[in-house]
Amino acid sequence: MKVAVLGSGGREHALIRALWRSKSVEHLVSIPGNPGTAETAKSVCFDPGDFDALRKFVRKERIDLVVPGSESLIAAGVADLLAREATAVFAPDKEAGKLESSKAFASEFRTRYGVPQPRYAVVDRMDEALDKARDFLSEFGGVAVKADGLAAGKGVVVARDWETARKAIREALVDRRFGNAGRKLVLEELIDGEEISILALVDGVRIVPLLPSQDYKKLRHGNTGPNTGGMGAYAPVPWCDHRTMDEIRQTILEPTLRGIQAEGFRFRGVLYAGLILSPRGLLVLEYNVRFGDPETQAVLSLLESDLGELMLSACRGSLPPEPLSWKDGAAVCVILASAGYPRSSSHGDPIDGLSAAQNAGAIVDHAGTKIVGGRLVTAGGRVLGVTALGPDLLRAADRAHEAAARILFHGKQMRNDIGRVGNSQGASKIGPVGSRNRVP
Ligand code: GLY
């Protein structure tokens, strides 16, 4: 089949790698792609958000399957747009996309279908928001202030004191820092704990989790520094054993699927449940309706099943009943970011050492790179993802960090503890992943 992946980041490169390994996939196109995806997929350089151009391209090239990478394409209705074409789209429709594009909708959805989550309030007036924030601070010692709409990963402020909470609320509701995305807010009980990401394939009838993963939001070692789009990830998660996965299926994934069905959503794609381990058990912090970045780089490196076939069967409402097939061991992805990230990013810095990293056995996914005058240079905040596999998590982590150290560019930023500690503040070391932790 002919597959088009939409987007140009590290996640899209990892999707292309996994689709390239799929026997079912004969032709791969990347719109617009990046210098890394161009090694295996044909780059077609237009903005996939230009839906007129996209529809024409898909028709003309007789694309069988379209895989959008980012939430913005889904929120703009890419699946609805192509619904009448002879092309399968591995993504939910715009209505179902509200599970990610409206945090208020998602919180209320979880309440309706009994999915465990932190206590929350939806507010759109200053006085009400301040009152609630005060209550949350005194009851829980902190409050998460979340913009309702899509805010490019910048819409959440964690406040442990009144001043921070008040400022965040004011910036969103009065100063309109996030435009309309911040007209409404979700205030949430603050919970400190380890977070895990569950990516699950959905065909409308079944929900099939991939290996559990953890990503690291903080810029610096020890989970310190500012929040980023993600500085690394690993899979599977040692403490997320069979029993925990069963609990996740029963208490989170199945009720979510029942909700999707009851709301009449057309959801054929991937659901990402961001969970936190709290004293009350696992709670859902957020849903996304697309693959996570950089979780995808780690998780798909371990997938042995044919991803193209899985995606197409999900689109047709018939995911195969057999369990997915995974490589043994673990995968760790270390992100290399450019100078200034996350506040800004540095462009045009020459990148060296890619072959040295690959010779060390690592996979390198491109995110913010471009070729200028025949030279690979930085072109964004997150530049590359370096993923290594190993028989256990610690050995995968050693390999990934060692390979990542071989890549050099001016101002490079990377963490040295991905896969070696958990992702909460004050996280302790994590043990090796054994086969007993495999997800069936
Ligand atoms: N890794 C977090 C995300 O993709 O939203």
Side-chain angles (χ1 to χ4, degrees), residues 294-311:
E295 291 96 324
T296 304
Q297 289 86 316
V299 172
L300 292 188
S301 300
L302 294 166
L303 182 70
E304 281 186 339
S305 303
D306 184 312
L307 182 65
E309 204 170 278
L310 287 170
M311 287 175 159

Side-chain angles (χ1 to χ4, degrees), residues 182-263:
R183 260 189 353 191
K184 210 188 304 182
L185 301 175
V186 177
L187 304 182
E188 216 172 71
E189 156 193 19
L190 191 62
I191 296 171
D192 287 316
E194 289 290 309
E195 294 182 24
I196 54 172
S197 307
I198 303 293
L199 307 174
L201 307 177
V202 180
D203 68 1
V205 185
R206 292 179 58 224
I207 184 157
V208 178
L210 308 183
L211 290 179
S213 55
Q214 270 200 307
D215 77 337
Y216 295 78
K217 290 274 164 34
K218 297 287 183 182
L219 180 69
R220 298 198 190 96
H221 328 297
N223 300 307
T224 56
N227 266 337
T228 68
M231 291 301 289
Y234 74 89
V237 180
W239 52 265
C240 193
D241 54 13
H242 287 290
R243 238 188 45 207
T244 312
M245 275 311 290
D246 282 345
E247 180 195 329
I248 291 171
R249 263 188 257 264
Q250 282 163 25
T251 64
I252 291 167
L253 298 180
E254 291 299 337
T256 299
L257 179 64
R258 284 197 287 279
I260 286 171
Q261 292 165 338
E263 302 275 327

Side-chain angles (χ1 to χ4, degrees), residues 18-363:
L19 288 163
W20 179 249
R21 292 197 306 272
S22 301
K23 286 205 173 66
S24 62
V25 177
E26 280 136 18
H27 297 283
L28 259 175
V29 179
S30 178
I31 308 173
N34 65 36
T37 62
E39 287 167 18
T40 43
K42 182 177 165 202
S43 291
V44 182
C45 287
F46 68 89
D47 172 8
D50 176 348
F51 280 180
D52 242 12
L54 181 62
R55 185 178 11 221
K56 281 185 193 138
F57 177 82
V58 160
R59 262 188 208 168
K60 180 162 168 277
E61 296 298 321
R62 296 169 187 252
I63 300 292
D64 299 295
L65 174 66
V66 170
V67 183
S70 81
E71 61 277 16
S72 58
L73 292 168
I74 295 168
V78 68
D80 311 63
L81 169 91
L82 298 174
R84 282 189 296 277
E85 307 294 321
T87 303
V89 184
F90 185 74
D93 65 12
K94 194 172 171 171
E95 267 305 287
K98 285 194 302 193
L99 289 172
E100 175 164 2
S101 64
S102 169
K103 290 195 165 29
F105 176 84
S107 298
E108 285 157 359
F109 172 96
R110 289 191 284 270
T111 301
R112 278 200 293 286
Y113 299 103
V115 180
Q117 63 181 330
R119 284 164 273 230
Y120 71 95
V122 177
V123 290
D124 59 6
R125 289 199 335 261
M126 258 317 262
D127 54 346
E128 187 193 13
L130 295 177
D131 283 351
K132 289 280 181 206
R134 202 175 282 114
D135 292 349
F136 277 58
L137 277 165
S138 71
E139 201 172 336
F140 309 120
V143 58
V145 180
K146 299 183 168 183
D148 174 51
L150 296 178
K154 299 193 170 72
V156 179
V157 173
V158 167
R160 293 176 194 278
D161 58 77
W162 171 243
E163 248 335 289
T164 310
R166 199 183 62 88
K167 182 164 172 269
I169 291 167
R170 190 177 175 82
E171 281 181 354
L173 291 182
V174 178
D175 306 341
R176 290 296 172 89
R177 179 173 169 207
F178 307 111
N180 279 344
R183 260 189 353 191
K184 210 188 304 182
L185 301 175
V186 177
L187 304 182
E188 216 172 71
E189 156 193 19
L190 191 62
I191 296 171
D192 287 316
E194 289 290 309
E195 294 182 24
I196 54 172
S197 307
I198 303 293
L199 307 174
L201 307 177
V202 180
D203 68 1
V205 185
R206 292 179 58 224
I207 184 157
V208 178
L210 308 183
L211 290 179
S213 55
Q214 270 200 307
D215 77 337
Y216 295 78
K217 290 274 164 34
K218 297 287 183 182
L219 180 69
R220 298 198 190 96
H221 328 297
N223 300 307
T224 56
N227 266 337
T228 68
M231 291 301 289
Y234 74 89
V237 180
W239 52 265
C240 193
D241 54 13
H242 287 290
R243 238 188 45 207
T244 312
M245 275 311 290
D246 282 345
E247 180 195 329
I248 291 171
R249 263 188 257 264
Q250 282 163 25
T251 64
I252 291 167
L253 298 180
E254 291 299 337
T256 299
L257 179 64
R258 284 197 287 279
I260 286 171
Q261 292 165 338
E263 302 275 327
F265 290 156
R266 188 181 159 79
F267 200 127
R268 312 277 191 269
V270 65
L271 177 85
Y272 167 141
L275 316 183
I276 189 157
L277 188 58
S278 81
R280 281 189 280 140
L282 282 159
L283 307 178
V284 179
L285 288 182
E286 62 171 355
Y287 292 132
N288 296 313
V289 295
R290 37 81 192 169
F291 283 97
D293 190 340
E295 291 96 324
T296 304
Q297 289 86 316
V299 172
L300 292 188
S301 300
L302 294 166
L303 182 70
E304 281 186 339
S305 303
D306 184 312
L307 182 65
E309 204 170 278
L310 287 170
M311 287 175 159
L312 194 63
S313 58
C315 292
R316 291 180 174 152
S318 57
L319 276 168
E322 305 85 54
L324 304 181
S325 163
W326 297 99
K327 291 189 172 77
D328 278 327
V332 172
C333 170
V334 176
I335 295 294
L336 309 184
S338 72
Y341 182 73
R343 262 202 318 199
S344 62
S345 58
S346 173
H347 290 226
D349 300 313
I351 303 171
D352 290 308
L354 243 66
S355 312
Q358 284 157 339
N359 291 342
I363 301 153

